Amino acid sequence: MNFTLCSSSSELKYPCVEGLRRSNVNILMSRPSVRVGYSSKRDNIQLSDSDTRKMIIANHLMPGQLEGPPYMGEKQLQKPSQKLEFVRTLLIDNYDSYTYNIYQELSVVNGVPPVVVRNDEWTWKDVCHYLYEENAFDNIVISPGPGSPTCPADIGICLQLLLECSDIPILGVCLGHQALGYVHGAQVVHASEPVHGRLSEIQHNGGRLFHDIPSGRNSGFKVVRYHSLVIDAESLPKELIPIAWTSSGDALSFFETQKSNIISDAYESQIGHKSSAESFSEFKNGSCWPFVQFDESKSVLMGIMHSSRPHYGLQFHPESVATYHGRQIFKNFRKITEDYWLRLRPYTACMQVPCASRLFREVPRSQHLVSNAADKLYRDPPQTSQLVHNAGKRSYFGMSDMVHLSHPSTGVKFLKLKWKKFDHLASQVGGARNIFCELFGRHKAENTFWLDSSSIEKKRARFSFMGGEGGSLWKQLTYRLSDQSDMSIKGGGYLLIEDSHGSPRSTFLEEGFLDYLNKELLSFRYEEKDYEGLPFDFHGGYIGYIGYNLKVECGVVSNRHKSRTPDACFFFADNLVVVDHYNDDVYIMSLHEECTTMTPWLDDTEEKLFSLKASATRLEEQTFQAATLSPSKAGFCAEKSREQYMEDVEKCLEYIKDGESYELCLTTQIRRSIGEIDPLGLYLHLRQKNPAPYAAWLNFSKENLCICCSSPERFLQLDRNGTLEAKPIKGTIARGATAEEDVQCRLQLQYSEKDQAENLMIVDLLRNDLGRVCEPGSVHVPHLMDVESYATVHTMVSTIRGKKRSNISAVDCVKAAFPGGSMTGAPKLRSMELLDSLESCSRGIYSGSIGFFSYNKTFDLNIVIRTVVMHEGEASIGAGGAIVALSNPEDEYEEMVLKTRAPAKAVMEFL
């Protein structure tokens, strides 16, 4: 059946879409409707428990059916005739993990960053003040989010905005789109299938929101979808007009969309193909688009507009890294906004909203940071244009300093660094393993560390850092959250500090550990010339781990489970050895306060290194012998049985079906008693059997705690140039038994629709997290869904990078992204809340991060996976997987077991 989509006519014909049984319906543009009032004024809505957020699909008292006098008249316009030089957007955040991707887009498209306000952050009085008294905004964008527009806790003030602000352009994305339909009387129902992290081709009506964007099958207009609910098209009231649909019912994986002969201009700069927009140039100035065939039984409503208000809704995500023409949609919305105000009455926003929020304030207040923009999968960082500033040079809301970088509360420390380099020495002394065993392996390697790049294939890692107790600045920090670990009431925790003399000091940190660490790092003063010529970024400083439960210091309201291990442990390392695996060089480094004298550690260590040449072979044999003892018969005990884990997967799928999450990273633990064991011997065995680029050994002997980590995943790195990098892993498959089978396994992972969806969701999540602390236009994805091979598994890895803003500290970057999105799911806050309700114990160190914070404000942290944690005579291993709409409970259980296999086998072989 053919339909003509005409952009010039007020009568729009559209095909059957999901929930619409009639084959052809004509919607007439209605006359301007009477303003609909809203009876309830909402000052603040707190998030309710997940079990109270049940979907309300029934046609109960619809807000759109409430009538009353308008709250206000037409927006007052005070400026003389003037073209908009930039557009001010109020961006309502529905507690989503993709909001700052929209923020990035708007920052670049509008010429100035938007103001981000969470949906329960402003009262209606606040909204009216800024919109109508101060004329602070030109338009509003309502973000995606978990849940349903029928639940007040999920949608907050957005319904009232859509009802009352009839004279302000509004664009709703995903949840915002559903809210636009719901508030005017449409039904929000379950989709025939949830679609998350998959793409669809879009047919549209050629209207202004889709100007210069092609339409239909094979046109190159493919978009990313993250939703379980849809607007029932049959229930659309006459004032809402459908403007976009899927051109077929079949969602595609990312790689399937690359098979098209017509490539979107979103990728033209990277792959050099002709833009599909060119092939549609003959239509973009005409009144009608070409005839298109529709499958009326499968098309899904993807966009709506109001007939008399400048209000639009999009079910898909234009901000996703894999959406084609997403940037153009935001440009079109800007043009709609400009034309609306200039036609109605010349107007520009007349003030900038004062900075009412700061980074990392207590929940549920918002977090406002500059982000970036990305219309496509950037292979190279795009150039950033200068943002427009107002004449008064006011700080934009969310643009002012987020941290006090110049006023640390702790005493200022002036540090001096001395170092020596030994060319091509590493292989002469038996490599990193022998160096560590000889210099730091005595006395059971107590109070030692080793950030171990044991897998350096394909340049995945280059440097290893190792050291132990002994320097004058050495100290250990041990932090435990208080039992009242609820940051909304300033739970804080207890910090134990033990100095180089063994003297302990305990203190309570009301603001938490990360705040303390931030102040410590800001207290260091140094001269850059001290480390000129060093090819790495860790020159001494804090090295250790951040436990998963520190999520309460990063925006999560509370922890349901208390960790058995400390929530954070760090050494301050003032003496260390560095191995450069590329060049075979060895560096020794010593840090001291400017007012103190140097210790003889450098000279002593140099002497020990050169004495290793003669004993390298003997040490290698000794260590290998210790790592091949007979296995034990007793195995690990699982925290949850196979049946229980699969039941949890089913619960996750229900949450996803109801729109509560797009992806849930469900985990569990296995444990066993180990008694007396040589922990360093176990780690050496593990690194031999399962080498990894972000492996680590940590021994906090005073806590009876050893960590043997063989992680292949980087959480976040900040280098000396201010570049942030994340490398999330999503998608894992076992290696094949033969070379041919191994190739097939690799291809199976590469083209797995489920794994691609998992990976894409987390890439968009990490873009969001980096976007909160990076310069606009700087966040990009140089590698999307690469497959990397390790000793026992293939993994799907992506790389996200961005340029840190100058007024953001290293710890702020961590707080913006911790815990790593690959271990939580998206939307992040809601997903962690749901996971806490499903998992039966604290993740502890697992799912946290191990790494360093250098005194010169750089850091590098991994994701704690493939790790054995030995604490008080027990070994534990955490594992899990991402649950998405395409997940199968049995397959998810098998994937979880696969991830425990390498570390568990290493323990069993060593015992």
Side-chain angles (χ1 to χ4, degrees):
M1 183 160 40
N2 291 331
F3 295 88
T4 305
L5 300 182
C6 300
S7 59
S8 61
S9 173
S10 62
E11 183 182 81
L12 300 177
K13 298 182 179 181
Y14 64 104
C16 262
V17 294
E18 184 165 305
L20 183 62
R21 289 184 292 274
R22 289 165 291 181
S23 62
N24 192 4
V25 179
N26 295 337
I27 296 295
L28 297 176
M29 299 282 282
S30 62
R31 290 188 298 274
S33 58
V34 177
R35 175 80 65 129
V36 179
Y38 192 33
S39 62
S40 63
K41 294 182 180 179
R42 176 183 175 284
D43 289 341
N44 190 43
I45 292 179
Q46 298 295 330
L47 288 174
S48 58
D49 290 336
S50 60
D51 58 354
T52 67
R53 295 195 191 94
K54 301 301 181 184
M55 304 303 300
I56 306 172
I57 305 301
N59 188 13
H60 67 291
L61 183 60
M62 299 289 293
Q65 296 171 336
L66 299 175
E67 294 188 3
Y71 182 83
M72 63 204 66
E74 185 177 284
K75 181 169 179 174
Q76 298 177 9
L77 305 172
Q78 303 169 350
K79 287 290 181 181
S81 179
Q82 179 182 356
K83 186 177 180 180
L84 296 180
E85 295 183 4
F86 56 89
V87 171
R88 287 294 302 170
T89 296
L90 174 62
L91 176 55
I92 305 297
D93 175 21
N94 288 305
Y95 286 83
D96 196 51
S97 290
Y98 300 148
T99 300
Y100 279 88
N101 293 334
I102 297 176
Y103 183 96
Q104 299 161 15
E105 290 290 340
L106 295 173
S107 296
V108 172
V109 168
N110 287 350
V112 65
V115 172
V116 183
V117 177
R118 280 186 168 164
N119 65 19
D120 56 1
E121 183 168 357
W122 280 1
T123 65
W124 183 241
K125 183 178 179 180
D126 293 332
V127 171
C128 294
H129 171 75
Y130 289 123
L131 287 178
Y132 292 96
E133 295 177 26
E134 301 291 355
N135 290 326
F137 302 105
D138 303 305
N139 63 26
I140 299 170
V141 174
I142 299 175
S143 85
S148 164
T150 66
C151 178
D154 294 337
I155 199 63
I157 206 167
C158 299
L159 297 183
Q160 195 165 3
L161 283 169
L162 289 163
L163 280 170
E164 304 289 357
C165 300
S166 63
D167 51 354
I168 298 177
I170 299 178
L171 173 64
V173 178
C174 200
L175 182 65
H177 157 86
Q178 294 165 11
L180 176 59
Y182 175 71
V183 83
H184 291 290
Q187 294 291 301
V188 177
V189 299
H190 286 103
S192 58
E193 67 163 337
V195 179
H196 297 111
R198 296 154 70 197
L199 288 79
S200 291
E201 296 180 306
I202 297 298
Q203 174 79 37
H204 60 75
N205 70 338
R208 300 191 64 202
L209 194 62
F210 300 107
H211 176 69
D212 261 355
I213 297 175
S215 178
R217 293 186 183 181
N218 300 321
S219 69
F221 185 24
K222 300 163 188 174
V223 303
V224 175
R225 298 165 58 188
Y226 295 114
H227 66 100
S228 301
L229 308 176
V230 294
I231 293 174
D232 180 356
E234 189 178 46
S235 70
L236 280 179
K238 63 181 180 179
E239 60 264 32
L240 293 183
I241 303 166
I243 59 175
W245 312 262
T246 58
S247 60
S248 73
D250 297 326
L252 306 170
S253 69
F254 173 76
F255 284 113
E256 282 181 299
T257 68
Q258 308 306 298
K259 298 175 183 178
S260 173
N261 292 326
I262 300 177
I263 305 298
S264 166
D265 61 0
Y267 295 86
E268 184 182 13
S269 63
Q270 282 76 41
I271 59 179
H273 285 279
K274 177 183 177 181
S275 166
S276 62
E278 294 176 24
S279 64
F280 271 79
S281 60
E282 60 189 286
F283 301 111
K284 60 185 179 182
N285 294 319
S287 61
C288 292
W289 290 73
F291 287 98
V292 179
Q293 288 291 125
F294 289 100
D295 182 346
E296 61 184 62
S297 65
K298 293 185 178 180
S299 293
V300 182
L301 183 64
M302 285 285 114
I304 57 175
M305 65 175 285
H306 197 280
S307 62
S308 60
R309 302 179 178 189
H311 293 180
Y312 299 82
L314 296 173
Q315 180 62 78
F316 60 86
H317 284 242
E319 81 285 355
S320 172
V321 71
T323 289
Y324 291 62
H325 304 290
R327 173 75 57 79
Q328 185 62 42
I329 290 174
F330 288 110
K331 287 180 178 178
N332 291 341
F333 185 59
R334 171 180 174 150
K335 187 66 166 62
I336 289 170
T337 300
E338 290 175 328
D339 291 349
Y340 176 82
W341 290 119
L342 294 172
R343 181 178 65 252
L344 186 64
R345 196 173 299 174
Y347 165 80
T348 56
C350 64
M351 60 85 70
Q352 304 303 326
V353 180
C355 186
S357 297
R358 291 188 180 276
L359 174 63
F360 311 125
R361 64 169 57 179
E362 56 270 19
V363 174
R365 303 292 286 178
S366 183
Q367 301 165 351
H368 311 289
L369 287 164
V370 174
S371 179
N372 82 304
D375 183 50
K376 53 187 177 290
L377 170 63
Y378 288 123
R379 299 299 179 186
D380 298 299
Q383 296 298 314
T384 307
S385 58
Q386 182 66 37
L387 296 178
V388 179
H389 291 266
N390 65 341
K393 301 293 183 183
R394 294 186 181 96
S395 293
Y396 293 117
F397 189 85
M399 289 287 288
S400 63
D401 289 349
M402 302 303 160
V403 292
H404 300 289
L405 298 181
S406 57
H407 302 289
S409 62
T410 53
V412 172
K413 304 177 186 68
F414 293 91
L415 301 181
K416 296 292 294 180
L417 177 68
K418 299 292 183 183
W419 56 276
K420 294 182 179 181
K421 175 186 177 184
F422 307 103
D423 295 333
H424 312 302
L425 180 65
S427 59
Q428 298 180 43
V429 296
R433 174 174 168 156
N434 279 356
I435 293 172
F436 183 86
C437 290
E438 177 64 19
L439 299 185
F440 309 108
R442 312 302 181 190
H443 308 294
K444 298 183 179 180
E446 293 181 350
N447 301 317
T448 59
F449 65 86
W450 183 6
L451 300 185
D452 178 19
S453 297
S454 56
S455 173
I456 58 173
E457 296 178 39
K458 300 183 179 179
K459 299 185 178 180
R460 289 174 187 150
R462 177 176 175 182
F463 302 103
S464 291
F465 305 92
M466 58 185 72
E469 186 177 11
S472 60
L473 296 178
W474 172 273
K475 61 183 173 182
Q476 179 177 328
L477 308 180
T478 305
Y479 179 73
R480 286 180 168 85
L481 288 163
S482 68
D483 290 334
Q484 307 299 320
S485 56
D486 184 337
M487 293 305 291
S488 66
I489 57 173
K490 295 295 180 186
Y494 297 90
L495 178 67
L496 178 66
I497 304 172
E498 185 169 338
D499 63 20
S500 58
H501 304 293
S503 302
R505 176 169 59 90
S506 182
T507 184
F508 184 80
L509 302 178
E510 289 188 4
E511 301 296 326
F513 178 77
L514 293 177
D515 179 78
Y516 171 87
L517 181 62
N518 189 50
K519 291 173 180 176
E520 277 283 295
L521 293 171
L522 294 177
S523 74
F524 297 136
R525 301 292 182 267
Y526 52 89
E527 295 184 70
E528 292 185 10
K529 66 178 183 180
D530 285 358
Y531 50 82
E532 284 181 359
L534 291 175
F536 45 84
D537 288 325
F538 183 45
H539 309 135
Y542 287 104
I543 192 163
Y545 73 84
I546 302 169
Y548 179 75
N549 274 9
L550 279 197
K551 65 183 187 290
V552 295
E553 298 187 14
C554 303
V556 177
V557 173
S558 63
N559 287 311
R560 180 165 295 204
H561 310 290
K562 187 172 179 62
S563 175
R564 304 182 187 184
T565 53
D567 294 292
C569 267
F570 279 84
F571 298 125
F572 186 87
D574 51 355
N575 297 328
L576 65 149
V577 176
V578 185
V579 178
D580 181 347
H581 297 284
Y582 288 4
N583 297 326
D584 201 36
D585 301 330
V586 177
Y587 298 79
I588 56 176
M589 314 175 70
S590 186
L591 199 60
H592 66 99
E593 286 197 74
E594 194 174 47
C595 58
T596 62
T597 57
M598 276 287 298
T599 66
W601 186 86
L602 284 177
D603 293 336
D604 293 347
T605 304
E606 179 180 0
E607 183 177 337
K608 290 178 181 178
L609 281 171
F610 280 97
S611 71
L612 271 177
K613 289 185 178 181
S615 58
T617 303
R618 179 177 56 84
L619 277 167
E620 181 74 22
E621 289 171 353
Q622 286 178 346
T623 342
F624 180 81
Q625 193 93 25
T628 53
L629 300 177
S630 60
S632 168
K633 293 181 180 179
F636 282 84
C637 295
E639 194 76 35
K640 289 193 173 183
S641 68
R642 182 177 186 274
E643 291 71 24
Q644 289 173 321
Y645 190 83
M646 290 172 62
E647 285 177 11
D648 287 345
V649 174
E650 293 283 5
K651 291 177 183 177
C652 289
L653 291 172
E654 283 299 312
Y655 285 130
I656 291 169
K657 179 183 176 182
D658 286 344
E660 296 292 319
S661 178
Y662 316 139
E663 176 173 352
L664 288 162
C665 298
L666 181 68
T667 74
T668 188
Q669 305 255 337
I670 60 173
R671 307 177 189 277
R672 66 152 293 148
S673 176
I674 52 175
E676 290 295 322
I677 190 176
D678 172 17
L680 178 58
L682 172 59
Y683 176 67
L684 295 174
H685 184 57
L686 176 64
R687 76 185 293 272
Q688 178 187 4
K689 295 293 185 180
N690 194 44
Y694 307 107
W697 155 268
L698 293 171
N699 186 354
F700 298 97
S701 56
K702 296 178 179 65
E703 298 297 325
N704 196 8
L705 173 62
C706 289
I707 303 169
C708 303
C709 176
S710 59
S711 173
E713 182 172 1
R714 167 174 281 156
F715 163 47
L716 200 59
Q717 177 196 48
L718 175 65
D719 68 18
R720 68 183 73 183
N721 299 315
T723 298
L724 279 167
E725 179 182 276
K727 293 191 69 175
I729 289 176
K730 266 289 157 267
T732 303
I733 194 170
R735 298 290 300 263
T738 65
E740 183 178 357
E741 184 181 324
D742 196 51
V743 170
Q744 291 302 314
C745 290
R746 183 186 177 95
L747 290 173
Q748 181 181 336
L749 175 62
Q750 182 77 74
Y751 291 98
S752 162
E753 185 175 18
K754 171 186 173 292
D755 291 307
Q756 291 174 51
E758 284 183 26
N759 200 281
L760 179 57
M761 280 186 261
I762 300 306
V763 168
D764 277 340
L765 170 57
L766 266 296
R767 289 174 58 237
N768 175 86
D769 290 349
L770 265 64
R772 291 168 59 190
V773 292
C774 286
E775 295 287 356
S778 70
V779 175
H780 58 289
V781 184
H783 303 286
L784 182 62
M785 302 185 198
D786 288 350
V787 173
E788 294 183 355
S789 301
Y790 294 91
T792 59
V793 295
H794 299 294
T795 61
M796 187 177 285
V797 186
S798 294
T799 304
I800 304 99
R801 293 187 186 128
K803 183 74 172 178
K804 182 186 76 69
R805 290 183 56 214
S806 60
N807 61 342
I808 296 297
S809 74
V811 173
D812 287 336
C813 295
V814 174
K815 292 176 76 172
F818 186 84
S822 62
M823 303 306 295
T824 63
K828 199 171 188 178
L829 293 179
R830 179 70 61 85
S831 295
M832 286 190 285
E833 177 186 327
L834 297 174
L835 290 166
D836 252 9
S837 72
L838 291 174
E839 295 175 1
S840 58
C841 64
S842 170
R843 297 187 185 185
I845 298 168
Y846 170 67
S847 296
S849 293
I850 293 173
F852 69 77
F853 289 89
S854 184
Y855 76 88
N856 64 323
K857 314 297 191 295
T858 64
F859 66 82
D860 199 357
L861 300 168
N862 75 3
I863 296 283
V864 180
I865 54 177
R866 321 289 198 270
T867 297
V868 182
V869 175
M870 292 174 282
H871 184 232
E872 297 179 345
E874 181 185 71
S876 64
I877 299 169
I883 313 303
V884 297
L886 297 173
S887 290
N888 173 277
E890 189 169 341
D891 292 343
E892 291 299 336
Y893 177 78
E894 294 302 325
E895 181 179 335
M896 181 274 293
V897 172
L898 169 65
K899 291 172 179 176
T900 66
R901 193 167 294 157
K905 185 179 179 182
V907 173
M908 299 304 294
E909 289 176 344
F910 188 76
L911 288 175

